[in-house]
Amino acid sequence: MFTFFLKKNLCDGWDNFFFLVASNLVTILILTGSFFAFRFAFSVNALVPPLVFIVSLGVLMMFLFAWGANAAKIADFCSPSFGLLLSSLKSVWKIGFLFGAVIAISLLLARFAFSYYLSIYFKDGNLIGLLVSAILGWFLLVAVVALQWFIPLYFLQGNNGFKKCLRKSFIIFYDNVFFSIGVFLYNIVLFVLSCVFFLLVPGLNGILLSSTNALRLRLYKYDWIEKMAESDPSFENDRDKRNEVPWDDLIAEDRESLGPRKLLSFVFPWR
């Protein structure tokens, strides 16, 4: 399944290349404006930079949240549009800003916590400081990996609010640890590639598309479990049976929809 996810995500990114670039231009403008605002904030007051950081990440997440509607469309073999982006922005700006603000505040608190506990270790040699720092580091890493599912969950399962998306993000992570880590590492590769191309492609929106594609395919597992549990109530609690997911059957329709895509078709689309 993971191999098919990589292929589908590559095809979706290539087929919507110009839409991705145009969308990423907006994220670049937001990041550029945030950089200058953050730089100016240091000359005003020591309390202003954290506030600018919170607002900037909130605004960035507002746009990424709105773009998540297009990511879900692309993942479902439909065409994206800027009209959908604008209409989504009107309905998701609150949850998008809240999501960004919560992440920003959490990162600021983590920074101060790391500084405090590491100073305890380096100044006094107290191992408690090192231990707490390690626990915080692992918790932060788990949270980052789990929260890659937050925005996709909102659009792939329309009945999710902030708390539900947060809870389900961690549920999916703990139920699919290796898959979540694999997608996260793939997204890191995409981010490094994005830096090479100045965040134009695949960019932050391309990374969001990757997480959406991955989750959309993974959710087939839960549809299958629900179907099997209808005939066998004990199935849902049997981890051995739950792990025997017939992925070839579950993604057969998606394979057919994607069709055979050879490497030459990316370079010469008319062939």
Side-chain angles (χ1 to χ4, degrees), residues 77-98:
F77 299 98
C78 297
S79 300
S81 68
F82 285 105
L84 179 60
L85 175 65
L86 294 174
S87 61
S88 297
L89 189 59
K90 295 178 183 178
S91 60
V92 304
W93 70 269
K94 288 183 180 179
I95 188 173
F97 187 86
L98 178 61

Side-chain angles (χ1 to χ4, degrees), residues 83-138:
L84 179 60
L85 175 65
L86 294 174
S87 61
S88 297
L89 189 59
K90 295 178 183 178
S91 60
V92 304
W93 70 269
K94 288 183 180 179
I95 188 173
F97 187 86
L98 178 61
F99 182 54
V102 168
I103 291 176
I105 293 170
S106 300
L107 290 175
L108 289 171
L109 291 175
R111 176 186 175 277
F112 289 123
F114 276 122
S115 299
Y116 174 73
Y117 287 109
L118 286 176
S119 67
I120 291 177
Y121 171 69
F122 285 113
K123 288 181 180 179
D124 305 327
N126 193 331
L127 289 176
I128 297 296
L130 185 62
L131 177 62
V132 174
S133 297
I135 293 172
L136 282 172
W138 278 109

Side-chain angles (χ1 to χ4, degrees), residues 231-259:
S231 56
D232 181 10
S234 65
F235 181 86
E236 196 168 357
N237 297 319
D238 191 329
R239 294 195 66 86
D240 292 332
K241 290 182 179 179
R242 278 168 55 103
N243 290 331
E244 297 174 359
V245 185
W247 285 114
D248 287 339
D249 295 333
L250 296 181
I251 64 174
E253 188 175 340
D254 284 65
R255 271 208 179 100
E256 186 178 349
S257 298
L258 185 64

